[in-house]
Amino acid sequence: MENKKPDIVFLDAYSLGNADLSKIKALGNYTAYETTRREEVVERCKDAEVVISNKVMIDREAMQSLPKLRLIAIAATGMNNVDLEAAKEFGITVRNAVGYSTHSVTETTIGAALALYRQIPYYDRYTKEKYPLQDRQFHFGREVHTLHGKRWGIIGLGNIGHEVAKVATALGCEVAYTSTSGVTREEEYPAMTLTELLTWADIISIHCPLNARTHNLIDAPELASMRRSAILINVARGGIVNEAALAEGLNRNELAGAALDVFTSEPFTSESPLMQVHDKNRLLLSPHNAWSAEESVKILVECIRDNIRNFYA
């Protein structure tokens, strides 16, 4: 690194929870903010050479007002919060963190499928609230199924998609995938069109980026084409699934269940169509934390450190 340590600003440090950030702090003159509103970015970053952001938007207007800014280190894999075209124009390097959450998101995906198929939330509540009052040993209030023998369709066969495919195969599932990039390559799993995959699969899990091609990729027609016994899992990005269409599809029994870790608006409001799903046991929600296993966060911190250190090397 250069003799003079760079000024480093982390705009939304809360996003890494209680992670030990000492390895990042040691790289420069470090300032952190728990959260940052969009209108606060320029003032807080005016002297920064390096800005770290997980989800705070850094747009063209902000970059124009930050002549000292040299590196944006994204504390995530997705890069939707940075205007990449403007960064290139202004000579600002952008680096993201890749691969840190593969196992965490994979396990969340598999766990969501198990939770929906085995009705784990329902039976947990029943056992805590009603089982002590019963005179029968067994209760069959919700139908349960095995993953073994099911058809698992993967949308986006990147690092996470590959890992999900490997684990699903080990659990006895038949796996196929569809690509959203338009790039075809040799894979050990059969490729299908999205339409073919949706009609074929018992489980659909989404692992692709959000972009112009994938916005509302799963909308009302796609949901209607799924098997009524199928489940949908989105651990990629909100906006890939049309949430209003999903709520309507669940209420019309067009699919058996869904699990979402990501949403179009985060956090969503009480007016979200997801809150209008009648049978709450069919919809499993988590607050965008599929990636956040402690082991993954540790790797993420190291990725951010390396991206900054390598930039100045």
Side-chain angles (χ1 to χ4, degrees):
M1 295 199 41
E2 298 173 347
N3 292 330
K4 178 186 176 298
K5 287 190 173 183
D7 289 334
I8 301 172
V9 173
F10 196 161
L11 292 173
D12 49 354
Y14 95 94
S15 63
L16 297 192
N18 297 317
D20 179 3
L21 302 179
S22 58
K23 293 178 180 180
I24 296 174
K25 295 176 182 178
L27 298 176
N29 304 310
Y30 177 84
T31 303
Y33 300 95
E34 283 290 288
T35 61
T36 297
R37 297 192 302 272
R38 195 164 180 169
E39 62 269 20
E40 295 175 321
V41 170
V42 171
E43 176 60 28
R44 291 183 171 183
C45 300
K46 61 184 179 182
D47 295 319
E49 289 184 24
V50 179
V51 171
I52 305 169
S53 172
N54 187 309
K55 292 293 179 287
V56 176
M57 177 63 67
I58 305 176
D59 56 19
R60 174 180 294 272
E61 184 179 357
M63 293 180 206
Q64 286 176 325
S65 303
L66 298 172
K68 296 182 181 180
L69 181 58
R70 299 179 61 191
L71 172 67
I72 298 172
I74 301 176
T77 300
M79 304 172 77
N80 305 82
N81 61 315
V82 174
D83 187 330
L84 299 177
E85 184 177 326
K88 183 177 181 181
E89 182 180 322
F90 293 121
I92 299 169
T93 300
V94 181
R95 293 285 182 267
N96 63 335
V98 179
Y100 68 93
S101 65
T102 299
H103 297 297
S104 183
V105 177
T106 295
E107 291 175 12
T108 298
T109 305
I110 300 297
L114 286 168
L116 288 170
Y117 265 162
R118 303 309 302 245
Q119 290 294 315
I120 291 172
Y122 167 80
Y123 281 109
D124 173 71
R125 284 193 299 272
Y126 170 85
T127 305
K128 290 173 180 175
E129 297 170 4
K130 298 181 180 180
Y131 195 55
L133 308 176
Q134 305 304 309
D135 57 1
R136 294 188 177 189
Q137 182 178 1
F138 306 118
H139 173 69
F140 306 102
R142 306 282 297 195
E143 191 176 85
V144 300
H145 300 274
T146 63
L147 284 181
H148 188 274
K150 298 299 184 295
R151 296 174 171 180
W152 195 306
I154 294 175
I155 299 177
L157 200 64
N159 290 337
I160 295 171
H162 269 109
E163 191 67 17
V164 169
K166 183 171 73 174
V167 177
T169 300
L171 290 170
C173 296
E174 182 182 355
V175 173
Y177 80 100
T178 192
S179 172
T180 61
S181 66
V183 177
T184 57
R185 57 182 183 269
E186 193 69 27
E187 294 287 356
E188 59 184 301
Y189 310 102
M192 297 182 178
T193 66
L194 178 61
T195 300
E196 291 170 337
L197 195 75
L198 291 172
T199 58
W200 173 84
D202 300 300
I203 304 156
I204 292 286
S205 62
I206 302 173
H207 310 286
C208 62
L210 174 63
N211 52 43
R213 281 194 300 271
T214 61
H215 181 255
N216 281 344
L217 182 71
I218 305 299
D219 210 331
E222 288 73 29
L223 292 164
S225 72
M226 292 177 65
R227 297 179 171 203
R228 287 183 175 268
S229 58
I231 61 174
L232 174 70
I233 302 168
N234 185 13
V235 290
R237 282 291 181 269
I240 297 174
V241 176
N242 184 319
E243 293 167 1
L246 175 61
E248 293 175 7
L250 288 168
N251 287 337
R252 288 198 299 261
N253 297 319
E254 290 179 347
L255 67 164
L260 303 180
D261 182 65
V262 290
F263 310 95
T264 303
S265 178
E266 297 178 351
F268 56 74
T269 71
S270 58
E271 303 302 313
S272 168
L274 298 173
M275 296 295 95
Q276 308 307 314
V277 173
H278 301 153
D279 185 350
K280 305 302 183 185
N281 291 299
R282 297 174 62 187
L283 180 61
L284 188 65
L285 305 178
S286 55
H288 201 147
N289 66 353
W291 59 275
S292 67
E294 187 173 331
E295 295 83 355
S296 297
V297 175
K298 183 178 179 181
I299 297 171
L300 173 56
V301 171
E302 293 172 353
C303 286
I304 299 167
R305 176 203 60 187
D306 291 346
N307 281 340
I308 298 172
R309 190 166 60 182
N310 293 341
F311 175 77
Y312 282 96

